[in-house]
Amino acid sequence: MQFENLHHSLVLVPLALGLAACGGGGGSDDGGIGTGTVSVSITDAAVDSAEKVLVQFTGITVKPSEGEAQAIALSGDSQTCQQYLEGETSPTAPGEPTIRCIELKALQGTETANLLNNVTLTAGKYNWMRLDVDAERGAMDSIIEVNTGELYSLYVPSGGQSGLKLNSGFTVLAGGSHNFVIDFDLRKSVNNPKGFEDYRLIPSLRLMDLAESGNIVGAVDAALLTANACSGAVNTGDGFAVYVYQGGAGTIIGEEGSVNAPLTSASVNWEADANQWRYTVGFLAPGEYTVAFTCQAGDDSAEDPANGIEFVESEGSPIAVVADQDSVVNFP
């Protein structure tokens, strides 16, 4: 399966949920504006036909509603994506930024990788957050490894100038402790434009407050993976996915790139301990969701909204997601 069937989206998904975490509390006791702490982690809705998707991060920038944008440096030892592939790290040189390579495809379900940990910010409203990355065209900074084992440059358009920007605002409470998770949806995001040697990453990003999110989990009957129309591979699990749509009864199920595209998706994987094919969709805002399974996910391209993808909807769908809980939807 070629990467022409992988997808990208120019839209960074805004979740204007009033992201004011409740992990801390109270106001400042000094009569001033006060501060709160912020932690930021990365997760991913995976994509088929790639072994590794490596992104090289150099920091995070936030923009208060009043005042100039503020750059936040990463901390600790550095690891470029080349070093990641070689299993090496190095001390960050004095005066140089810490570099961190994160392998996005390893972060499925509720798995995360930490970028910032308990960084102090002035309390108040913030207009946006930007992930600063090294992902230039023709450079092996951010890297994709395809299923053949070949390595290619992973290019983020304008990545060196504007990074990966989330325009959904958030709030830091005085005395609060905030844990945000940024969800990369690689199924929407990676493609191999014809005429270019690089692969391109234009992520669809969701910013979620860990204190205000729940999960959808469940099992998929093995018979659904071998139906006549299936194009997925049972030996690898590639091509099987559960799509999640915002909304309850009457929600229209559509494929990637359509006006009824899913909010996010999750791969379906064999779990030997459970003797089942299972999936986990992590970090969803509380509310109602419609859930559908497809065994043709590898053929679903966001660049073509009419691929003819077939879906199976569970009898347990729609489902209510509750903060800090797992909601179960099985197929069939």
Side-chain angles (χ1 to χ4, degrees):
M1 195 174 301
Q2 300 299 313
F3 264 96
E4 282 76 9
N5 286 332
L6 297 181
H7 329 306
H8 73 279
S9 171
L10 291 173
V11 179
L12 300 185
V13 181
L15 294 183
L17 299 175
L19 292 175
C22 301
S28 170
D29 59 6
D30 60 4
I33 295 176
T35 61
T37 62
V38 170
S39 297
V40 178
S41 299
I42 304 294
T43 191
D44 163 49
V47 68
D48 304 314
S49 301
E51 289 297 320
K52 295 182 177 69
V53 180
L54 305 169
V55 177
Q56 192 161 293
F57 295 89
T58 59
I60 289 180
T61 302
V62 296
K63 174 61 173 67
S65 58
E66 297 182 6
E68 298 297 321
Q70 301 173 11
I72 306 171
L74 306 182
S75 61
D77 289 341
S78 286
Q79 184 180 52
T80 67
C81 289
Q82 291 285 354
Q83 288 177 313
Y84 178 97
L85 292 171
E86 297 166 1
E88 300 176 353
T89 60
S90 59
T92 301
E96 295 294 324
T98 293
I99 296 172
R100 183 161 302 138
C101 180
I102 293 180
E103 206 282 89
L104 296 180
K105 193 173 178 185
L107 305 176
Q108 299 185 43
T110 56
E111 295 293 323
T112 63
N114 183 260
L115 269 184
L116 298 180
N117 189 35
N118 292 329
V119 172
T120 299
L121 291 179
T122 301
K125 294 182 178 180
Y126 289 75
N127 292 342
W128 49 257
M129 179 185 296
R130 184 179 71 210
L131 306 176
D132 301 319
V133 297
D134 290 330
E136 296 299 321
R137 175 169 286 162
M140 297 295 282
D141 37 29
S142 293
I143 298 170
I144 188 166
E145 180 182 337
V146 299
N147 285 349
T148 61
E150 295 175 289
L151 302 176
Y152 295 91
S153 166
L154 186 62
Y155 164 60
V156 176
S158 302
Q161 293 74 44
S162 58
L164 300 170
K165 190 175 180 181
L166 297 104
N167 287 316
S168 47
F170 62 97
T171 299
V172 175
L173 298 178
S177 178
H178 308 264
N179 291 283
F180 294 125
V181 175
I182 298 173
D183 181 16
F184 280 70
D185 192 342
L186 293 181
R187 197 175 297 281
K188 300 176 186 287
S189 305
V190 179
N191 76 337
N192 182 207
K194 293 181 179 179
F196 293 93
E197 294 185 2
D198 310 79
Y199 284 78
R200 184 169 58 183
L201 176 67
I202 309 180
S204 175
L205 303 175
R206 295 188 302 130
L207 178 65
M208 287 301 306
D209 187 334
L210 191 58
E212 299 177 357
S213 69
N215 312 310
I216 299 177
V217 303
V220 177
D221 192 298
L224 294 177
L225 280 64
T226 56
N228 289 336
C230 290
S231 59
V234 176
N235 59 327
T236 64
D238 289 344
F240 305 122
V242 171
Y243 286 19
V244 177
Y245 305 80
Q246 284 184 299
T251 298
I252 299 174
I253 294 172
E255 57 192 69
E256 295 286 9
S258 72
V259 295
N260 300 305
L263 171 68
T264 188
S265 64
S267 296
V268 179
N269 300 295
W270 175 254
E271 293 188 7
D273 291 345
N275 198 33
Q276 288 179 321
W277 289 91
R278 298 191 61 82
Y279 73 94
T280 298
V281 184
F283 311 111
L284 294 167
E288 276 200 304
Y289 293 88
T290 296
V291 188
F293 166 78
T294 180
C295 59
Q296 301 171 331
D299 302 324
D300 190 9
S301 170
E303 298 174 335
D304 182 356
N307 292 290
I309 303 302
E310 298 180 9
F311 296 95
V312 175
E313 188 174 348
S314 170
E315 292 181 358
S317 179
I319 187 74
V321 169
V322 179
D324 202 31
Q325 293 186 22
D326 289 343
S327 300
V328 179
V329 178
N330 295 319
F331 295 87

